[in-house]
């Protein structure tokens, strides 16, 4: 499915999020706190749009994704980055390889969320952090109603206009509605071994930025 949307993926995301995806990426970069000498694993990196801000700070960033189509499109645009094919539930990296592991809008698509969180813990150095940016539950009830209507009614026709595979975005809407809320994901992080787990709502809770530390 993601192979089929690779060519227009970044444009489609910007349109569907009404341009908010750029602001969300900035918040992720602040939370990851990359810099020279830091090793960052960017999971579900797709075409590496999410990886570029980390690389710009001088960090060594590894864009990793399950979709070969996404990786191929990214490699065509950013040949200097070490794109790596990998399954988030069985990562191809040694224990304690990274200072930070991050995933934006991808954890929801992994077949086994708990296994992925444990793998992220395994490959993170002690003292390192995890940063997860994912769709969540809007905190204001009236806005939550409007948002859910947008997901199920407005998103599919918009996707048909701008995406090469609009059916993928019908799945997107359904997967967002089925995803755990902020506290639910925080609990999963704690169960996977992460400490100092916290989250911050972005855009009224449409997106939540979860953080944790390996101690």
């Amino acid at each position: 499915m993601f192979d089929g949307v690779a060519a227009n993926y970044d444009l489609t995301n910007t349109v569907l999020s009404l341009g908010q995806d750029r602001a969300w990426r900035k918040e992720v970069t602040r939370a990851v706190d990359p810099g020279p000498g830091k090793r960052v694993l960017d999971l579900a990196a797709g075409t590496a749009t999410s990886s570029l801000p980390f690389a710009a700070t001088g960090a060594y960033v590894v864009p990793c994704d399950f979709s070969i189509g996404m990786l191929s499109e990214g490699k065509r645009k950013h040949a200097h980055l070490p794109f790596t094919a990998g399954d988030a539930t069985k990562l191809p990296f040694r224990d304690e390889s990274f200072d930070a592991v991050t995933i934006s809008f991808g954890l929801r698509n992994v077949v086994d969320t708990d296994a992925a969180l444990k793998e992220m813990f395994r490959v993170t150095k002690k003292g390192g952090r995890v940063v997860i940016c994912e769709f969540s539950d809007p905190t204001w009830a009236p806005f939550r109603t409007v948002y859910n209507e947008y997901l199920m009614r407005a998103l599919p026709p918009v996707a048909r206009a701008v995406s090469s595979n609009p059916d993928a975005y019908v799945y997107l809407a359904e997967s967002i509605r089925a995803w755990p809320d902020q506290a639910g994901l925080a609990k999963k992080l704690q169960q996977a071994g992460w400490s100092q787990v916290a989250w911050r709502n972005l855009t009224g809770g449409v997106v939540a930025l979860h953080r944790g530390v390996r101690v």
Side-chain angles (χ1 to χ4, degrees):
M1 182 181 69
F2 284 96
D3 290 350
V5 299
N8 295 323
Y9 185 73
D10 295 320
L11 171 63
T12 304
N13 286 345
T14 297
V15 171
L16 293 177
S17 70
L18 307 179
Q20 288 295 300
D21 60 320
R22 293 164 180 162
W24 296 336
R25 279 197 295 273
K26 289 180 181 178
E27 294 302 322
V28 170
T29 301
R30 290 192 186 99
V32 170
D33 191 26
K38 297 285 186 67
R39 293 176 58 87
V40 178
L41 174 61
D42 187 15
L43 290 175
T47 60
T49 298
S50 58
S51 305
L52 295 175
F54 307 136
T57 69
Y60 178 78
V61 57
V62 178
C64 181
D65 202 287
F66 191 74
S67 167
I68 300 300
M70 284 286 195
L71 294 171
S72 297
E73 181 69 16
K75 194 67 174 178
R76 184 180 67 81
K77 296 177 179 178
H78 313 294
H80 63 291
L81 294 176
F83 288 87
T84 303
D87 180 348
T89 66
K90 194 174 182 180
L91 292 171
F93 306 106
R94 290 181 294 184
D95 295 357
E96 301 186 43
S97 298
F98 297 94
D99 297 289
V101 178
T102 183
I103 183 168
S104 294
F105 309 109
L107 187 59
R108 192 182 68 260
N109 300 317
V110 177
V111 67
D112 188 337
T113 303
D114 297 328
L117 293 174
K118 290 176 182 177
E119 273 292 271
M120 294 162 77
F121 183 86
R122 179 184 66 80
V123 301
T124 301
K125 298 176 182 178
K126 290 181 180 179
R129 68 186 64 185
V130 64
V131 176
I132 299 170
C133 187
E134 189 53 89
F135 291 109
S136 200
D137 278 10
T139 54
W140 189 43
F143 176 61
R144 187 184 309 127
T145 301
V146 173
Y147 174 66
N148 285 331
E149 288 294 312
Y150 168 73
L151 282 178
M152 301 313 296
R153 296 189 182 186
L155 189 148
V158 172
R160 279 193 290 273
V162 297
S163 172
S164 56
N165 185 359
D167 288 343
Y169 289 89
V170 174
Y171 156 78
L172 171 69
E174 293 173 346
S175 67
I176 291 172
R177 294 189 70 174
W179 185 245
D181 63 9
Q182 291 88 330
L185 181 54
K187 183 176 180 180
K188 285 180 175 292
L189 278 160
Q190 292 167 338
Q191 291 172 338
W194 295 98
S195 301
Q196 301 175 33
V197 173
W199 73 82
R200 183 159 62 91
N201 290 315
L202 305 177
T203 317
V206 168
V207 166
L209 196 65
H210 282 73
R211 305 174 303 284
V213 175
R214 177 174 181 176
V215 298

